[in-house]
Every structure is written in C-alpha cells, then in structure tokens.
Amino acid sequence: MGLKDFIPLKEMISLKGKVALVTGSASGIGEAIAYRFAEAEANLFLVDINEENLKKVSEAISSRFGTKVENYVIDLSKKESIDKLWESLKGKEPDILVNNAGIYIFKDFLDIDESFLEKNLAINLKSAFWMCQYMVKKRANKGGIIVNIGSIEAILPFASGLVHYDITKSGIISMSRALAREYGKKGFRVNVVVPGGIETPGVKEKKRDAFLKLNINIIKSGMNYLSRLPLGRLGKPDEVARVVLFLSSPLSSYIQGAVIPVDGGFLSA
C-alpha cells in the first residue's frame, strides 16, 4: 500500500454523518453500543420498550457527546410495532442497524409452553428478521451495515434451561450469514457478534436472584462457566460495544458474514 492510499485511523473509526439504529439500547450491551457510536459521531435512533431508561441514556449521550439522538419506545415482539417504526423513519432510514434486543430467561425445557416459546422467538429472532428485512428494502439502492448480536450458547450450549434461547440465537447466526451472502454485492455488510458471559444489569440481577433463592443449578452452572474461562472473568458491555463499533466502521470494510466471539476465550477452552 502506498502512502497515497493511506487513510488516517481517526477517519477509519469515525461514523460522522452516519445514522445508527440500536435496539435494546436502554441498558447493558445496547447502551454501551450507543455510547461508542455517539463518541464516533454517529447520530442515533435508540429503540427499547423501557421508556424511562431510554430517556436517561439519550440525555446522557446528548450532554456528553452532543450528537443527535431520537428515542423510539417500541415493543419489538409485535410486528405491527416494527412496521410503525419504519413508517416513522421514512426518508431518514439508518445507515447502520444493530439488532441487540433480546430476553434471557431460564426455564426447563419440559416446562415450556407455546406462549413462552413464542415470546422468545418474537423478541430474540423474529424482531431481528423483520428489522433486517426493512433495512434491506428501504436501503436497496444504498446498501448499509447490519450487526446482529448472537450468543456463545448458539455455538456451544452450556447452561441448563436455555434451549428456547439457544435456538433463537442459532437462528440469528444463520440469518446473518445468509443475508451476507445474498446481499453483499448490493452494498450490505452483515456480521454477527457472539458475546459470552457479560456483566450486564440483567446478568447481575440473575446472579442475585440465584443466590437469594439458593438456585443450586444456576449457581453451579455459573461457577463451572467461570472455571473454564481463560481470562477468568466475565466481560463488560463496553468490550462488546467496541467490536460492534469496529464492524460498523470502515476499519472492517472487508469483513462479511463473520461470526466474532467476544467471550474471554470460552469457545476455545
């Protein structure tokens, strides 16, 4: 590469002039992604069902980074809500879509009923499907970037009581790779980030509940998980956000259909 082809790093990581839509952005990984995107000068569409937390996140971002933020309080389990969201975005469709929203509920396989399974499918998988479909439709002549958030559970199921969760995250990976193949030549880059155990507010709450209720199975599963982690600790939401930022920036211009673990080495141990 000659010097004439050299692009400064600060330009390669910049999202200035771009608009990013992040689902599940009121807390945890989604919140961390929103902060990193704002730092990279992207304008933001933040989507979550938790209106109170979403407002706090957007106010914090606006005050610190001065970037433009729009909040959308949406129930992603309902397709009609997703339809209305994209209707409201007509003419200002995002350049970057991050499908992060999801629920993580332990339940024994034999106790799962239709309504519980449907809720998990609707939020964790179907919402990402419809969001991706809209992204490709609305930006058919422009292309764009899609980053979907999977889970190590889709590759190597480890914890008990997550069969329903595992199948949704497996679907996320399959969908992302299929979209990467079908729409790469039309200007879309699609990749998946696969987090391992991340110390989100939700995970902290589950840990507290497990100890308070003496849920031995969950406690044992957590201890076994930590014991096989090469880095010996859970990850932080921002450690996932940094990889999402990388995949959304020109730094990753030749990465397509990738499944990138952010798991402290769990999958290799």
Side-chain angles (χ1 to χ4, degrees), residues 13-21 33-45 61 65-69 95-96 245:
I13 199 66
S14 174
L15 298 180
K16 190 173 184 178
K18 303 294 185 182
V19 178
L21 189 158
I33 292 168
Y35 287 139
R36 283 299 177 186
F37 278 9
E39 185 183 16
E41 299 186 272
N43 292 321
L44 298 171
F45 296 155
I61 287 173
F65 301 107
T67 191
K68 184 179 178 182
V69 184
D95 305 277
I96 301 163
L245 174 60

Side-chain angles (χ1 to χ4, degrees), residues 147-158:
V147 181
N148 292 321
I149 306 299
S151 170
I152 56 168
E153 276 285 330
I155 299 171
L156 182 60
F158 184 78

Side-chain angles (χ1 to χ4, degrees), residues 75-128:
D75 182 355
L76 290 168
S77 69
K78 299 176 180 177
K79 186 178 183 296
E80 57 266 31
S81 296
I82 296 174
D83 294 339
K84 290 178 182 178
L85 169 63
W86 283 89
E87 286 172 14
S88 69
L89 296 178
K90 187 175 182 179
K92 55 177 185 178
E93 292 83 3
D95 305 277
I96 301 163
L97 169 64
V98 180
N99 285 306
N100 165 74
I103 55 176
Y104 180 76
I105 303 171
F106 289 89
K107 194 162 188 173
D108 189 275
F109 175 68
L110 299 179
D111 294 332
I112 292 173
D113 57 22
E114 186 176 7
S115 63
F116 180 83
L117 179 60
E118 179 54 37
K119 180 180 180 180
N120 281 267
L121 289 169
I123 297 174
N124 290 1
L125 179 58
K126 289 183 179 180
S127 71

Side-chain angles (χ1 to χ4, degrees), residues 126-240:
K126 289 183 179 180
S127 71
F129 181 96
W130 299 126
M131 293 292 286
C132 287
Q133 187 185 72
Y134 266 112
M135 182 73 170
V136 174
K137 277 183 180 179
K138 298 298 184 180
R139 295 187 60 89
N141 299 318
K142 301 176 184 178
I145 292 171
I146 298 173
V147 181
N148 292 321
I149 306 299
S151 170
I152 56 168
E153 276 285 330
I155 299 171
L156 182 60
F158 184 78
S160 300
L162 288 177
V163 173
H164 51 281
Y165 177 81
D166 296 350
I167 63 174
T168 63
K169 291 303 184 178
S170 295
I172 288 290
I173 292 174
S174 298
M175 176 184 71
S176 302
R177 298 185 75 180
L179 291 175
R181 181 184 64 81
E182 290 190 35
Y183 294 99
K185 292 181 180 178
K186 296 182 180 180
F188 290 92
R189 282 205 300 112
V190 187
N191 294 290
V192 189
V193 174
V194 181
I198 305 298
E199 194 87 28
T200 63
V203 168
K204 290 178 182 178
E205 184 179 347
K206 283 180 171 58
K207 284 165 64 177
R208 283 195 300 268
D209 287 346
F211 281 103
L212 287 173
K213 297 175 182 178
L214 292 178
N215 190 323
I216 301 303
N217 288 334
I218 294 180
I219 293 172
K220 183 179 178 181
S221 178
M223 292 176 66
N224 287 340
Y225 178 84
L226 283 171
S227 70
R228 68 172 281 169
L229 270 176
L231 289 187
R233 64 171 176 87
L234 295 181
K236 301 173 184 177
D238 187 56
E239 291 178 304
V240 180

